[in-house]
Amino acid sequence: MKQMTERVNQILEEVKNFQGDAEQFRLKYLSRKGVLSELFEELKRIPADQKKEAGRQLNILKQTAEQHYEQLKALAENQPAATEIPDLTLPPVRHTTGNLHPLTLTRLRIIEIFERLGFSVADGPEIEDDWHNFTALNFPENHPAREMQDTFFIKKNRDAQGRNRDVLLRTHTSNVQIRLLEQRKPPVRAIMPGRVYRNEAISARAHCFFHQVEGLYIDYNVGFADLKQTLYHFAKEMFGQETQIRLRPSFFPFTEPSAEIDISCLICKGKGCAVCKHTGWVEIAGAGMVHPNVLRNCDVDPEEFTGFAFGMGIERVTMLKYRIGDLRLFSENDVRFLRQFHTVIS
Ligand code: PHE
């Protein structure tokens, strides 16, 4: 036992004065074949009546050694790496500046074109109630767009009178038409860019969220010719002066008559290619004359005022303008894609 106490004291001294790095220390004292393991082996052979005291001493030694090891490690971490002389002839790391997202570039360009025609920019909420997204826009109660497959509902709800009080993510920017007309009386001439949500499977051509720009012009004597001329002007400004437009009859609950707007294919110039599916035309917007019911729902007299509305997808315009083949690129944020827009100034 006496021998053991002496050994422990001697090693305690050694530990405290150890010269070397943490790893050397660990190998010598704390590893499986280290000094401490050896001592614990010896402990087994010590007579039973002395074991308790010997064990206590050994544990003190072990704690001290472990603390010392931690200190040596901490010391090494705070030390600067081996003195390396920097190579002063290396070229500096280039500072790269960020750039605007392609969808932002398109949005800004669309706003610029319409601002020159006297349109202001308005905004509205993405979390919307049934009234502003559907009912006020003349959607019948059983319209398929109100189905779960198309719309993300936050809350399905009926009030005490049985009225629809659903809360949902807006499926189009047309909700801002209603909000605008509730706030101010015509004349109204505004565009409304924003994010919209639809319950669609994500693919190269569809996403569960995307962006639209809505346009609304209400005044005395606004006619279909104004709509056509406005969108023709937009198409030429956005895609080039040689761009043609074509209107096809269509249907939206909130416009009558309604039309789908196509532009001549930018890629094949109307000759027919994969992008336009060999028709020479690609669709860019929905539009029409605001339905009298919509005006009435906003306390605007349809006998006094008329107007047009249109809506287009910002992704779609961007894909056509920059020839992008996959919608998912816009939200994946791969810098190799985004950096390509570095030199594009809006
Ligand atoms: N809201 C329609 C859509 O999302 C587009 C549209 C807007 C059509 C305005 C006509 C008038 O498809």
Side-chain angles (χ1 to χ4, degrees):
M1 172 65 201
K2 197 156 158 265
Q3 218 185 351
M4 183 72 161
T5 313
E6 263 168 28
R7 290 268 326 262
V8 168
N9 284 338
Q10 182 206 334
I11 293 166
L12 258 175
E13 244 356 78
E14 251 184 65
V15 160
K16 284 179 192 157
N17 298 315
F18 183 82
Q19 301 278 333
D21 67 20
E23 186 54 14
Q24 287 166 343
F25 183 88
R26 190 187 66 80
L27 285 172
K28 181 154 186 204
Y29 297 104
L30 298 172
S31 64
R32 257 195 316 129
K33 292 200 179 118
V35 176
L36 263 75
S37 309
E38 252 173 51
L39 285 178
F40 275 102
E41 271 307 306
E42 276 175 39
L43 185 64
K44 291 179 190 157
R45 291 189 293 273
I46 282 193
D49 59 334
Q50 295 167 16
K51 235 186 199 153
K52 198 169 163 208
E53 176 54 20
R56 195 186 62 84
Q57 289 176 3
L58 256 182
N59 274 329
I60 294 175
L61 173 63
K62 190 174 169 225
Q63 272 171 19
T64 314
E66 276 169 357
Q67 270 169 16
H68 201 73
Y69 174 57
E70 290 305 319
Q71 275 169 9
L72 284 174
K73 268 205 305 195
L75 213 65
E77 269 163 30
N78 291 331
Q79 232 149 49
T83 43
E84 231 175 61
I85 300 164
D87 181 354
L88 296 176
T89 64
L90 280 175
V93 179
R94 282 219 298 159
H95 276 296
T96 49
T97 49
N99 59 273
L100 295 178
H101 191 281
L103 293 179
T104 307
L105 289 169
T106 306
R107 174 165 47 84
L108 293 177
R109 180 72 186 122
I110 295 173
I111 291 173
E112 186 180 45
I113 295 169
F114 282 104
E115 272 181 341
R116 289 202 185 147
L117 296 176
F119 284 76
S120 56
V121 179
D123 202 3
E126 290 175 21
I127 297 176
E128 192 50 285
D129 53 30
D130 171 89
W131 172 255
H132 292 94
N133 196 77
F134 292 131
T135 301
L137 286 158
N138 202 33
F139 277 79
E141 188 55 44
N142 52 4
H143 192 280
R146 292 176 179 242
E147 291 302 313
M148 291 283 213
Q149 306 81 287
D150 294 308
T151 305
F152 287 114
F153 287 96
I154 293 171
K155 206 164 79 187
K156 286 284 218 175
N157 202 12
R158 294 282 177 279
D159 69 8
Q161 283 80 43
R163 280 176 304 214
N164 188 326
R165 290 280 184 261
D166 291 348
V167 181
L168 44 93
L169 292 179
R170 66 173 173 193
T171 57
H172 51 187
T173 39
S174 305
N175 66 326
V176 196
Q177 282 187 38
I178 305 300
R179 294 207 168 256
L180 212 58
L181 287 176
E182 282 174 347
Q183 278 164 24
R184 54 169 132 124
K185 293 298 140 209
V188 168
R189 202 190 296 174
I191 58 165
M192 308 139 219
R195 184 175 285 182
V196 303
Y197 302 83
R198 286 186 200 172
N199 194 357
E200 301 215 24
I202 297 169
S203 72
R205 306 172 60 90
H207 212 296
C208 56
F209 68 83
F210 54 99
H211 301 80
Q212 289 187 333
V213 175
E214 191 89 359
L216 180 68
Y217 179 24
I218 312 272
D219 205 341
Y220 301 113
N221 297 319
V222 178
F224 205 89
D226 299 305
L227 167 62
K228 208 168 146 185
Q229 205 54 38
T230 304
L231 288 171
Y232 184 36
H233 173 79
F234 166 76
K236 288 195 292 182
E237 287 292 309
M238 189 78 205
F239 299 109
Q241 290 303 312
E242 69 289 357
T243 312
Q244 299 291 305
I245 62 164
R246 171 175 93 162
L247 278 73
R248 278 178 294 116
S250 185
F251 174 81
F252 299 102
F254 38 94
T255 47
E256 181 59 34
S258 306
E260 218 100 48
I261 318 289
D262 296 343
I263 58 165
S264 50
C265 182
L266 306 163
I267 291 155
C268 63
K269 307 266 176 270
K271 285 191 208 80
C273 68
V275 171
C276 61
K277 298 200 200 90
H278 302 282
T279 61
W281 298 94
V282 281
E283 186 194 318
I284 59 152
M289 301 307 293
V290 177
H291 197 292
N293 286 351
V294 175
L295 295 175
R296 266 184 226 111
N297 285 337
C298 302
D299 276 335
V300 176
D301 181 2
E303 299 296 324
E304 194 182 0
F305 291 105
T306 52
F308 66 74
F310 59 85
M312 67 181 102
I314 302 185
E315 277 82 352
R316 186 152 183 86
V317 173
T318 313
M319 287 168 95
L320 286 171
K321 193 164 163 68
Y322 299 115
R323 313 209 172 154
I324 297 165
D326 192 326
L327 198 62
R328 290 168 291 198
L329 287 166
F330 293 125
S331 48
E332 279 168 353
N333 281 337
D334 185 333
V335 283
R336 290 167 302 179
F337 169 69
L338 297 175
R339 261 199 215 122
Q340 297 178 78
F341 300 87
H342 203 258
T343 49
V344 184
I345 313 240
S346 83

